[in-house]
Amino acid sequence: MKQQLKELIEKRIQQCVAKERTTTEDDKFARKRSCFHRRNAEIVHVKAKGKVEDIQKKADETEELVYTVHLQYFIKQGELFFVEEEVENRKSIFYKGVLIEDEEMVPIYPEYRENPLSEEFGKTAEGWSRYTYDRLKAVQYAEKWWNSYNPKYHQFEVDCTNYISQCVHEGGAPMRGYPNRNKGWWMQSNNWSYSWSVANAFPRYLETSTTGLRAKQVNSAMELKLGDVICYDFEGDGKYNHTTIVTGKDANGEPLVNAHTYNSRMRYWKYEDSTAYTPNIKYKFFTIIDG
């Protein structure tokens, strides 16, 4: 089984660097190639490493195998070279040792998890405190934990906003509001505010906060600096369901971002190659300001 999967992975990644498209080209890689082409960039090499996570034998003589694939795309854009990385979660089904089905287990970005509307996250009676946002430390943390989980913090199945909150906090932004989940921005004693972990609550907090972690909303991604954040409303319905942090810039000066849930690093900020992308997508751009 592992040999069949290895051959399948090798066949898939060859499509990324092929000079011409084929009729059997993977839809995901087709979107990725098109995205790079529009940015005058190209994938010059791909590395992939698979890991079997679970095997289950079924009553119908099939075996279900869950595995991950760590992909590294080596990108050339003008004079700039960089590496984009992501981890796919995949599932294969074998019948009597023969591969009959293989698909990606696409993460579901929630439109709207528990998030009360009755409170204003930014307003509290707490005192004002000064801090300096260390962008380098925030990015270093984002790079260190992009594909793993810091045991110091609670881990969520949908972990994108929790991961970004960790990055910003490790950059020096102070928590506040404990123990009221509807107030401030915090994680403490195995509990947390909605703004810390919920993708739709995080931008609402940043828009209203006047103490502690504060941010300024800007009009374009080009205005963002390293350590700033982007919020995504994939359906364009006003409910934000994903969050990323800026960890680099491409040759055009556009942000490259890290994220959890679908673990990735140095990914082009627009997410045009994502299965969650729709033509109605909306973004919010926040630059973190010192307290």
Side-chain angles (χ1 to χ4, degrees), residues 194-254:
Y194 295 108
S195 57
W196 180 279
S197 62
V198 180
N200 196 45
F202 188 57
R204 289 181 56 232
Y205 169 83
L206 293 179
E207 288 170 334
T208 59
S209 177
T210 57
T211 62
L213 169 61
R214 295 185 299 133
K216 175 185 177 183
Q217 189 171 353
V218 295
N219 294 322
S220 74
M222 296 290 283
E223 299 177 65
L224 297 177
K225 306 172 185 176
L226 298 184
D228 287 337
V229 298
I230 304 175
C231 301
Y232 298 73
D233 171 8
F234 289 116
E235 297 81 13
D237 60 2
K239 298 173 182 177
Y240 283 78
N241 33 32
H242 189 48
T243 318
T244 67
I245 183 169
V246 178
T247 52
K249 294 289 185 79
D250 70 5
N252 300 323
E254 295 198 68

Side-chain angles (χ1 to χ4, degrees), residues 250-262:
D250 70 5
N252 300 323
E254 295 198 68
L256 303 173
V257 299
N258 286 23
H260 268 194
T261 302
Y262 191 103

